[in-house]
Amino acid sequence: QVQLIESGGGLVQAGGSLRLSCVASGRTFSDYRMGWFWQAPGKEREFLAAISWSGGTSYYEDSVRGRFTISRDNAKNTVYLQIDSLKPGDTAIYYCATDRVPYMSPGTAGYDYWGPGTQVTVAS
């Protein structure tokens, strides 16, 4: 059974940084792409970033490119999302996700498993 658990959220001041983590269990982590999504209050869940199974390829939603960085440590079964220059508009629940199919290229959709999310609140 695939399980994803996010951590690292909290209340931060605008301009600060956070690193979110997502630990996966239940199968061979290094065979599967990983993605990060967010859901702001009153909005649909949206794609942020994704990384290939090897970590060699990443893909970002245009509005966060340059401020958000996705990475993974396959030895620790963990994917990270570094967020810099935080803005109040970054306030959201952040989710990690993964796929049922191995060796998929990073992309914006088609994810099958989701974590419960971690709340990030950015104060102005």
Side-chain angles (χ1 to χ4, degrees):
Q1 180 180 357
V2 177
Q3 288 192 321
L4 304 173
I5 302 294
E6 304 94 339
S7 62
L11 174 63
V12 294
Q13 293 294 316
S17 296
L18 272 180
R19 189 175 79 158
L20 306 181
S21 300
C22 172
V23 178
S25 62
R27 64 182 187 184
T28 303
F29 177 75
S30 58
D31 289 347
Y32 298 87
R33 67 175 177 171
M34 299 294 297
W36 283 98
F37 293 73
W38 64 357
Q39 186 168 17
K43 295 187 176 182
E44 298 290 317
R45 187 160 56 189
E46 297 177 336
F47 171 79
L48 286 173
I51 190 165
S52 64
W53 54 277
S54 67
T57 305
S58 56
Y59 181 77
Y60 296 90
E61 197 279 328
D62 286 345
S63 67
V64 303
R65 190 187 310 273
R67 259 191 336 115
F68 288 34
T69 304
I70 189 170
S71 62
R72 65 190 295 161
D73 185 338
N74 285 344
K76 295 183 178 180
N77 290 355
T78 302
V79 62
Y80 304 99
L81 186 68
Q82 176 73 32
I83 311 173
D84 298 319
S85 303
L86 278 155
K87 308 174 183 179
D90 297 328
T91 295
I93 300 173
Y94 287 71
Y95 300 90
C96 70
T98 189
D99 213 303
R100 181 177 291 118
V101 180
Y103 309 121
M104 294 285 287
S105 297
T108 64
Y111 292 84
D112 301 298
Y113 303 106
W114 299 84
T118 186
Q119 175 72 50
V120 172
T121 303
V122 184
S124 58

